């Protein structure tokens, strides 16, 4: 058993209206950020869990998304493992 | 007293506050968020509602409204500003008041009558009450959970800036009495200078017995008394 | 534009050709297709087929229900606008009028409870403010399967949050509603939303495309691929296959709705527009063609001028999109820029997309090229309607005939039964629901949810407006006609209990597949029941909504004709509530207890049974009782009044005793008749009200 | 000028209350996910903007966060450039 840190992104499905994204886009414009072309807002869920393996951790996370974290009708999700190579990328600010 | 109620896109208690001012014997007018001009205003109200739909964070976008520049200047000059519900959230985002209001711990919108205890009656906002009075007013919000770092909370308590605290029906600050999980059950505060008050409950909805309570009148009457020069500092 | 238009309509490159399969996929029968051919005098294009399919769907065309609507009383001196407009309008005195209506979002809510319910609230609010009325109250009537099912709890939670988040953001107080849980609604929740708006009687505006040459403008949100063919979707049974056909979910934006509400009212006051209509089911298609139809004019619109959210949208998609928070307005020729100015102030868009014409045609162009040209009248009025043969199901007749005497016998400790009954989700407090709804915004709520009916004060007066929704689906299942009449009677009784005089009704008919004789029977009988009762209470029906095909894999919901009723309170300081107020007050029961256990909550909870004769209804006695009750309340004699509904006399007494959570009281009552314990305590006889008063008034 | 796709994560500051995170953690437990140790819920904001350079795009995003997207009292933020290598990692599901 070892511990894994995962990031799960849950985002509104493409094509669906995204009111928060729309409002933020509008706000950024009136703040003078002209170059902004699109804004979409989703959830970033950070989960720390115990699993046998990296794969097991990913599978668990995908299952959680299907069962609870993402709305199958309106949202898509992505799972990223934070740790090792992934992390470097996923975190670089 | 001449009171200006600022209307942001998505404000929905601007009319209630307008009426509350009139019921307290004042004169009220509206200022659309895109416009400037508080000339002649004795006090300003940031009303409740869902400015910009509460998208991103409640109050986060509204605080950039042109009218807010005037409100900030007005407050800096010591002008009284009352920030109710969404107005409280805007005031925190704008730095008029310390802290932040996050999601209720239940994650649900709460709408019911809530008991509040007056923690400091020696302010322009609460002079119509006695310390320890237990008031009843509607709350109606999803993001009323007051948070600030410990130092700030201690300062608020120490300086008598906590004006209203959530309590239960017996007047005790119990956990059941705290509807949203606010730190130290804080329901309403004032700034260090004392001229800005923010609160989540709705005094504007507690002005007449026929709608359930008159306990909100005190805040508007306190404001009126202060402006007529009679009230406490 | 029109010169090209005269060139006539040719099939559009890239659009599919018309085949019998395509016609069937659009929910049109071969006979209906024949009618389309004669209306056009030629074969329709793909775009035109889509337009007809939407307009002739049950949702827009009321194919199976229109003939039945004629059976309802719709007139009274105080009716300003009856059925047919976006909402009914009633004169309530002092120069004030109210616009009110109820609407269903059952199918969308079954697929996506949160957005389905939210957009349902958005739609009904737009129906109200397009009449020029400011919404002042909402109600909602909900039905779900049994709560022990996980999916049901998910639907219930999502629907309540969706209704709350939308209405709270727009800032309209909730005044009440209903929630029932019964396996009869498993898989087919009912989500009906009602809204009430206030307007000056002389400021009403209609959804008419008046004035040839006036501009058609789309205002509000942009158009995306949302809910394309929602109208036809809403007119089909849910099945595996409809899962695939499922339109893209419509997402509600209550913030935009609030801006659209303020902008629309300002537009109407400005006089710059002659007509306005919500783009609801079938979006631009139904709003444009109906506005033309009502005015007897034609319209010409160019879809290339419609502001879109997505690229590459076809005319078919733009015409049928059900993107939310959009309006179609008819602007006075020359005042278009004034309209745009008002919308821009509210940070919304406006675009001229066409003109009102005199040729009676619904003509659509794509960058100048005609893609549809349909006579507006056959499109809006030509939808074939069907009067079918109804036959009562033998199974239900048997259930109704079932002898219940064995259950009426006393069964041990009735206290325990009472405790279990008041814990049933159908009788327990609905606080969990209405605490998520803002009930106090607008600072005018006199009686909030929790009593028999809600009351809001009419601004600037001391008068109030009362409202309630009611319907017991079990009664309607066992006896559609009486059940529907009881729904009207209970609504009127709930209004009388708060001290209001009932004035008008809106109704939402939620039924199964009307092509089945047993279902059509329920539909027809229920309408007759509503009609009888509305005549008796002098409450004309000013509008409503029909939701059919509420079936999953062949199983239909209980017939559920939800009644939304409004009434007037002459003095809000005299309203009456359901909770006992003073120790020592006398308690009276108005009405008669009978041995009536049929369709009761008691049978459902303890025998898992929905059977028997539903309670009798004596309309004349009921009306006299309500008039007397109203007189006592306005005379200031009573401390409380509460009607006996689900759970019977015993539950009504408990509800009155603990009705004031902060000051619970008890009740000591002596039985005045020789009924057996169970029917006396838990029978659901109609026409009964528990009242209390101080001894000097006893 | 070229177009950049950025992901901005705004997360509740460590130590501060995170009601949604707490609720999801609880829900996952009752769904039988025992191995889950911590859940934090933030926002994932996807922004597409025109900028002179990668660095300029990042700087712009950081500025937006300080000004609007993150609440300095309660939230921290991270900016990730989605594009090229990053994307591959950041997106892997
Ligand atoms: N979905 C709902 N939304 C708001 N209020 C509701 C809802 N369901 C029930 N209520 C309120 O709960 C109370 C009890 O409902 P109900 O048992 O149907 O009352 P009654 O039997 O008197 O019609 C009523 O005040 C009603 O308005
Ligand atoms: Mg009822």
């Amino acid at each position: 058993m070892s511990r894994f840190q995962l990031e799960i992104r849950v985002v509104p499905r493409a094509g669906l209206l995204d009111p928060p994204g729309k409002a933020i886009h509008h706000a950024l414009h009136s703040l003078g950020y002209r170059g902004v072309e699109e804004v979409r807002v989703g959830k970033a869920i950070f989960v720390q869990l115990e699993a046998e393996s990296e794969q097991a951790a990913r599978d668990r996370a995908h299952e959680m998304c299907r069962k609870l974290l993402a709305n199958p009708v309106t949202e898509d999700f992505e799972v990223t493992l934070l740790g090792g190579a992934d992390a470097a990328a996923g975190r670089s600010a | 007293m001449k009171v200006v109620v600022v209307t942001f896109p998505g404000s929905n208690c601007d009319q209630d506050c307008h009426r509350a001012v009139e019921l307290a014997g004042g004169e009220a007018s509206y200022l659309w968020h895109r416009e400037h001009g508080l000339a002649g205003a004795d006090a300003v109200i940031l009303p409740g509602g869902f400015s910009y739909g509460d998208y991103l964070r409640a109050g986060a976008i509204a605080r950039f409204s042109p009218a807010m520049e005037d409100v900030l200047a007005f407050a800096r000059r010591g002008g009284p500003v009352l920030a109710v519900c969404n107005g409280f959230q805007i005031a925190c985002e704008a730095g008029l008041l310390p802290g932040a209001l996050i999601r209720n711990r239940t994650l649900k919108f709460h709408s019911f009558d809530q008991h509040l205890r007056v923690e400091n009656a020696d302010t322009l906002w609460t002079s119509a009450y006695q310390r320890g009075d237990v008031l009843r007013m509607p709350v109606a919000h999803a993001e009323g959970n007051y948070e600030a770092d410990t130092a700030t909370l201690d300062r608020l308590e120490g300086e008598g800036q906590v004006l209203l605290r959530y309590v239960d029906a017996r007047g005790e600050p119990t956990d059941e009495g705290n509807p949203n999980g606010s730190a130290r059950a804080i329901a309403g505060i004032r700034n260090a200078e004392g001229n800005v008050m923010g609160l989540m409950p709705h005094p504007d909805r507690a002005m007449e017995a026929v709608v359930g309570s008159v306990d909100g009148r005190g805040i508007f009457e306190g404001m009126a008394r202060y402006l007529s020069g009679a009230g406490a500092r | 534009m029109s010169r090209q238009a005269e060139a006539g309509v040719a099939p559009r490159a890239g659009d599919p050709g018309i085949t019998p399969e395509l016609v069937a996929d659009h929910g049109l029968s071969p006979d209906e297709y024949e009618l389309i051919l004669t209306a056009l005098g030629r074969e329709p294009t793909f775009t035109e087929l889509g337009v007809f399919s939407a307009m002739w769907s049950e949702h827009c065309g009321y194919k199976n229900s229109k003939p039945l609507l004629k059976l309802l009383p719709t007139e009274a001196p105080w009716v300003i606008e009856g059925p047919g407009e976006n909402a009914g309008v009633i004169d309530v005195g002092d120069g004030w009028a109210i616009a009110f209506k109820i609407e269903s979002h059952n199918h969308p809510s079954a697929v996506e409870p949160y957005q389905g319910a939210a957009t349902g609230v958005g739609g009904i609010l737009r129906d109200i403010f397009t009449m020029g009325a400011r919404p002042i109250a909402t109600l909602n009537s909900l039905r779900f399967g049994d709560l022990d099912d996980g999916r049901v709890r998910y639907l219930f939670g999502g629907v309540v949050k969706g209704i709350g988040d939308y209405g709270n953001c727009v800032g309209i107080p909730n005044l009440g509603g209903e929630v029932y849980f019964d396996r009869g609604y498993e898989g087919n929740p009912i989500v009906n939303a009602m809204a009430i708006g206030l307007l000056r009687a002389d400021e009403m505006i209609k959804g008419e495309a008046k004035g040839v040459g006036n501009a058609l403008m789309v205002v509000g949100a942009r158009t995306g691929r949302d809910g394309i063919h929602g109208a036809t979707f809403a007119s089909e049974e849910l099945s595996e296959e409809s899962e695939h056909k499922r339109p893209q979910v419509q997402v509600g934006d209550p913030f935009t709705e609030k801006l659209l509400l303020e902008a629309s009212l300002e537009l109407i006051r400005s006089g710059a527009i002659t007509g306005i209509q919500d783009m609801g089911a079938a979006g631009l298609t139904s709003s444009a063609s109906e506005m033309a139809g009502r005015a007897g004019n034609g319209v010409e619109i160019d879809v290339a001028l419609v502001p879109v959210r997505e690229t590459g949208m076809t005319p078919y998609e733009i015409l049928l999109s059900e993107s939310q928070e959009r309006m179609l307005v008819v602007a006075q020729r020359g005042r278009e820029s004034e309209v745009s100015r008002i919308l821009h102030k509210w940070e919304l868009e406006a675009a001229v997309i066409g003109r009102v014409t005199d040729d009676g045609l619904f003509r659509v162009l794509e960058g100048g090229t005609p893609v549809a040209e349909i006579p507006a009248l056959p499109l809006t009025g030509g939808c074939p309607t069907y009067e079918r043969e109804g036959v009562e199901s033998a199974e239900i007749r048997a259930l109704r005939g079932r002898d219940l005497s064995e259950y009426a016998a006393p069964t041990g400790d009735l206290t325990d039964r009472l405790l279990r009954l008041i814990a049933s989700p159908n009788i327990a407090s609905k606080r969990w629901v209405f605490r998520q709804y803002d009930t106090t915004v607008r600072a005018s709520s006199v009686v909030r949810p929790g009593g028999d009916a809600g009351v809001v004060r009419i601004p600037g007066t001391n008068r109030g407006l009362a409202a309630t929704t009611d319907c017991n689906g079990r009664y309607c299942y066992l006896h559609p006609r009486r059940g529907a009449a009881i729904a009207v009677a209970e609504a009127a009784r709930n209004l009388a209990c708060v001290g209001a005089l009932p004035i008008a009704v809106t109704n939402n008919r939620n039924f199964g597949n009307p092509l089945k004789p047993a279902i059509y029977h329920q539909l027809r009988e229920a309408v007759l029941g509503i009609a009888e009762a509305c005549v008796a209470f002098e409450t004309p029906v000013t509008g409503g909504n029909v939701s059919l095909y509420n079936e999953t894999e062949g199983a239909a919901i209980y017939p559920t004709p939800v009644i939304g009723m409004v009434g007037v309170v002459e003095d809000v300081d005299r309203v009456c509530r359901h909770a006992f107020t003073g120790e020592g007050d006398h308690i009276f029961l108005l009405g008669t207890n009978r041995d009536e256990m049929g369709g009761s909550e008691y049978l459902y909870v303890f025998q898992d049974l929905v059977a028997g004769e539903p309670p009798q209804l004596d309309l004349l006695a009921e009306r006299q009782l309500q008039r007397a009750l109203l007189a006592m309340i306005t005379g200031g004699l009573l401390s409380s009044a509460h009607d006996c509904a689900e759970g019977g006399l015993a539950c009504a007494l408990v509800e009155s005793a603990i009705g004031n959570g902060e000051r619970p009281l008890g009740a000591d009552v002596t039985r005045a008749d020789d009924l057996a314990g169970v029917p006396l305590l838990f029978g659901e006889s109609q026409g009964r009200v528990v009242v209390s008063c101080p001894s000097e008034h006893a």
Side-chain angles (χ1 to χ4, degrees), chain C residues 635-671:
Chain C
L637 298 178
L638 301 185
S639 323
S640 76
H642 183 35
D643 85 307
C644 296
E646 292 76 19
L649 177 57
C651 289
L653 284 165
V654 172
E655 287 165 1
S656 289
I658 63 176
N660 176 347
E662 286 175 21
R663 261 184 89 249
L665 294 166
D668 178 354
V669 298
T670 44
R671 57 186 303 175

Side-chain angles (χ1 to χ4, degrees), chain C residues 140-142 174-180 426-427 430 433-434 437 448-453 468-470 490 494 642-643 645-646 655:
Chain C
N140 60 105
S141 180
L142 312 176
N174 172 277
L175 266 197
E178 315 168 273
V179 201
Y180 286 91
N426 287 330
I427 292 178
K430 309 303 190 295
V433 173
F434 56 75
Y437 301 156
R448 307 179 197 172
D452 288 275
T468 179
T469 65
D470 290 282
E490 184 185 352
N494 283 330
H642 183 35
D643 85 307
E646 292 76 19
E655 287 165 1

Side-chain angles (χ1 to χ4, degrees), chain C residues 81-418:
Chain C
E81 193 62 51
E85 265 296 333
N86 292 325
V89 179
I90 292 290
D91 186 332
V92 294
D94 306 330
W96 288 108
I98 57 160
F100 72 110
K101 188 164 181 258
I102 191 165
E103 186 142 283
S104 67
H105 246 214
N106 304 346
H107 290 78
S109 304
V111 173
E112 213 307 283
Y114 180 85
Q115 293 298 345
T119 52
V121 174
I124 193 62
L125 288 175
R126 288 192 295 279
D127 278 341
I128 298 307
F129 64 78
T130 48
M131 303 299 296
R134 175 173 290 280
I136 58 168
T138 62
L139 295 91
N140 60 105
S141 180
L142 312 176
R143 307 287 185 283
F144 302 92
D146 281 326
L147 259 182
D148 43 37
D149 177 89
R151 171 81 185 164
V152 167
R153 284 196 301 276
Y154 169 74
L155 290 175
F156 178 41
V159 163
V160 169
K161 191 172 184 351
I163 291 171
D165 286 358
Y166 203 102
N168 297 345
C169 180
V170 182
I172 317 301
N174 172 277
L175 266 197
E178 315 168 273
V179 201
Y180 286 91
F181 305 92
D182 186 298
R183 70 181 103 73
Y185 300 99
E186 191 97 50
N188 271 95
I190 288 186
V191 177
N192 293 173
M194 174 172 165
I196 306 173
L198 194 71
L199 67 155
R200 298 302 300 175
D202 51 14
E203 284 177 357
M204 188 181 80
I205 182 165
K206 296 191 185 185
E208 293 178 342
K210 282 186 292 192
V212 173
N214 282 342
L216 269 73
M217 300 179 73
V218 177
V219 306
R222 295 184 153 244
T223 298
R225 290 192 172 88
D226 317 60
I228 287 164
H229 267 311
T232 23
F233 174 75
S235 311
E236 282 174 3
E237 291 181 33
L238 294 178
S239 67
E240 280 309 317
E241 183 228 2
S242 70
E243 289 294 298
H244 304 307
K245 263 205 204 165
R246 177 197 297 155
Q248 206 171 54
V249 172
Q250 309 161 30
V251 173
D253 180 358
F255 167 59
T256 296
E257 177 96 343
K258 167 65 172 169
L259 298 178
L260 190 57
L261 156 62
E262 300 301 337
S264 300
L265 293 181
E266 192 172 329
L267 268 183
I268 292 165
R269 261 181 271 111
S270 76
I273 64 172
T274 64
I276 177 167
Q277 174 148 344
D278 167 36
M279 291 200 206
L284 184 53
T285 293
S286 60
S287 50
S289 58
E290 281 171 15
M291 288 181 86
R294 290 200 193 102
N297 284 329
V299 290
E300 178 173 274
I301 59 184
D302 193 326
V303 291
L305 301 174
V306 176
V308 290
R309 203 173 75 225
E310 299 172 65
T311 53
M313 289 185 70
T314 64
Y316 183 101
E317 290 173 319
I318 293 173
L319 284 172
L320 296 175
S321 161
E322 297 187 353
S323 293
Q324 300 290 299
E325 293 92 23
R326 300 179 302 160
M327 292 277 191
L328 185 65
V329 306
V330 177
Q332 304 269 13
R333 166 188 241 133
R335 297 182 71 174
E336 296 86 350
S337 57
E338 199 177 331
V339 171
S340 303
R341 230 182 1 262
I342 291 174
L343 276 119
H344 294 154
K345 169 191 165 189
W346 292 101
E347 309 194 351
L348 294 169
E349 289 184 84
V352 174
I353 62 160
R355 300 257 157 214
V356 178
T357 64
D358 58 5
D359 60 11
L361 290 176
F362 174 70
R363 184 187 294 113
V364 182
L365 315 170
E366 181 186 25
T369 315
V371 292
E373 195 169 290
I374 307 172
L377 282 180
L379 186 58
T380 55
C383 173
T385 60
Y386 306 100
E387 287 214 52
R388 307 186 179 279
E389 266 312 300
V391 182
E392 179 172 35
S393 119
E395 179 200 352
I396 296 176
R397 198 179 314 111
L399 271 178
R400 184 171 64 241
R402 183 86 168 261
D403 168 22
L404 304 173
S405 46
E406 57 177 302
Y407 308 119
T411 43
D413 179 5
L414 293 180
T415 314
D416 166 67
R417 296 246 150 171
L418 173 57

Side-chain angles (χ1 to χ4, degrees), chain B residues 9 11-12 16 19 32-34 50 52-53 55 108-113 115 138 140 205 208 210-211, chain C residues 168-169 171 253-255 258 345-347 432 435-443 445-446 448 457 662:
Chain B
S11 296
N12 63 30
D16 301 354
R19 185 143 193 286
W32 178 238
H33 80 120
R34 285 249 205 85
F50 285 73
Y52 292 96
Y55 299 136
K108 288 200 171 62
F109 187 93
H110 287 177
S111 167
F112 42 73
D113 282 348
H115 289 95
R205 303 183 192 180
E208 296 173 282
V210 69
V211 296
Chain C
N168 297 345
C169 180
D253 180 358
F255 167 59
K258 167 65 172 169
K345 169 191 165 189
W346 292 101
E347 309 194 351
W432 187 89
R435 280 189 156 202
Q436 297 183 57
Y437 301 156
D438 193 334
T439 57
T440 51
V441 61
R442 295 186 51 78
S445 304
V446 177
R448 307 179 197 172
R457 180 175 51 191
E662 286 175 21

